[in-house]
Amino acid sequence: MRPRPQQPARRPAVLRREAVVAAVPVALAALLTAAGPATAAGTAGSQGAGDPYFPLSGNGGYDVRHYDLTLGYDPATRHLDGTAVVTARATQRLTRFDLDLKGLKVTGVTVGHTKASFRRTGQELVVTPAKALRKGEEFRVTVTYSGTPKPVTDPDGSPDGWIPTDDGAFVAGEPQGAMTWFPANSHPTDKASYDFTLTVPRGRTAIANGVLLGQRTSHGRTTFRWRQSEPMAAYLATATVGTFKVERYTTRDGLKVYNAVDPREAAAAAPVLKKLPAVLAWESKVFGPYPFRAAGAIVDRAPQVGYALETQTRPLYSSAPDLDTLVHESAHQWFGDSVSLTKWKDIWLNEGFATYAEWLYTEQHGGKSAQRTFDALYATPADQDLWAFPPADPGSGEHIFDTPVYSRGAMVLHKLRTAVGDRAFFRILRSWADAHRYGHGTTARFVRLAERESGKDLSGLFHTWLYTGGKPASP
């Protein structure tokens, strides 16, 4: 994602996002206790995935394999009807489990073919199946729901989730917005495949992730069917609706590209989107094979949003992007989407890498060198936002889209490059993308990989640039 509107380091279309700090362990324990006792000790899935910054995001006790989402949306009334079929595997004996869902009225829940009892508490949909689920058992939960979806306001003040527009909805879920439009295990550690069946009024287009399987118009409504086969974190899912000009083509490498552009942004977006195949080809050369079978862009007009998001296979822009933003969001397909973070604290692994991709692209396409970009940033006075905190420790969810995560995160990578040399550095980038393809990474794993691939002790470098607050004494 690109920095949020209030972040000066971000561009017109770019970044993002409950400040939960020292009190998190105590608060989380209290919330879990408030959920009520399990039928038997240890058999209720936890309310959260254990992330210190967003303690209620995600859930425990099961692993989602697939989401099948059937949605109908009317932009005129802003009414959403939904059926979500969630296929999962129990990782413990389960007498009760949670899904993340905020707002919207749930009208029915079944587990398997049997009606299940449920209740709502905050952002939790608490489900009690008629019969306890065995550890290792695969099960299917069907949730029917409806209502007017509303975005959440993130700790940094920006909107997230299902965001209404003048002709539809801009649907961007980082970090916690997936729960505003479908019941999910909404933490990046639980990735799954997806099917989407989206029905909207004739004349509107509904765009999701992956490959378009087909579309059909009947009785004044059009249904679009999309499939995202590769694993995807819930926050990267989209179901954006609007009036769009659509462009479809297949690249020389067989990549299916689908671009949807608000006609009001078409003239400004066209020169940049024309470069998408070349940008993806360049990034594939630098980072390794493109990880998905589909690509493209959604360019909406959503001035109330003011950022872009790396929605998997098809980045989402709230206005026509510039080339740097396109490079940034495309790089996230490797760093953030295919290789996902394990905790939100490690978001520099997404944003620092995507920002450094911009530096590299500029350097290799006739612009200023990455070293010059680094030097200009290092000249920033010590009391400026760039040095507010070390990139590996934003402190809370309020700061995960702040300048140090992006710009100083990229500076970490440039310091690594100068320390190990280009050959080892680019081998490290490719090895990271390959070793954790469709999986997860942590800062500690990246540090170990960098030392292993370079054969160097890099503890001092990472201590200074990743973990130490303030401006380093020397560039």
Side-chain angles (χ1 to χ4, degrees), residues 275-296:
K275 296 183 178 181
L276 177 61
V279 167
L280 293 176
W282 174 80
E283 290 180 333
S284 297
K285 183 178 179 180
V286 177
F287 306 137
Y290 181 74
F292 308 115
R293 67 192 69 185

Side-chain angles (χ1 to χ4, degrees), residues 96-119:
R96 189 183 73 216
F97 59 89
D98 288 16
L99 289 161
D100 299 309
L101 184 65
K102 187 175 179 66
L104 303 172
K105 180 181 180 180
V106 175
T107 54
V109 179
T110 62
V111 177
H113 299 291
T114 305
K115 185 177 179 180
S117 62
F118 64 90
R119 60 184 173 86

Side-chain angles (χ1 to χ4, degrees), residues 18 33 89-90 107 114 162 211 230 243 386 410 415 463 466:
E18 186 174 51
T33 302
R89 183 182 63 84
T107 54
T114 305
W162 191 283
V211 175
E230 299 90 356
T243 304
L386 176 63
K415 287 297 297 181
H463 174 76
L466 262 182

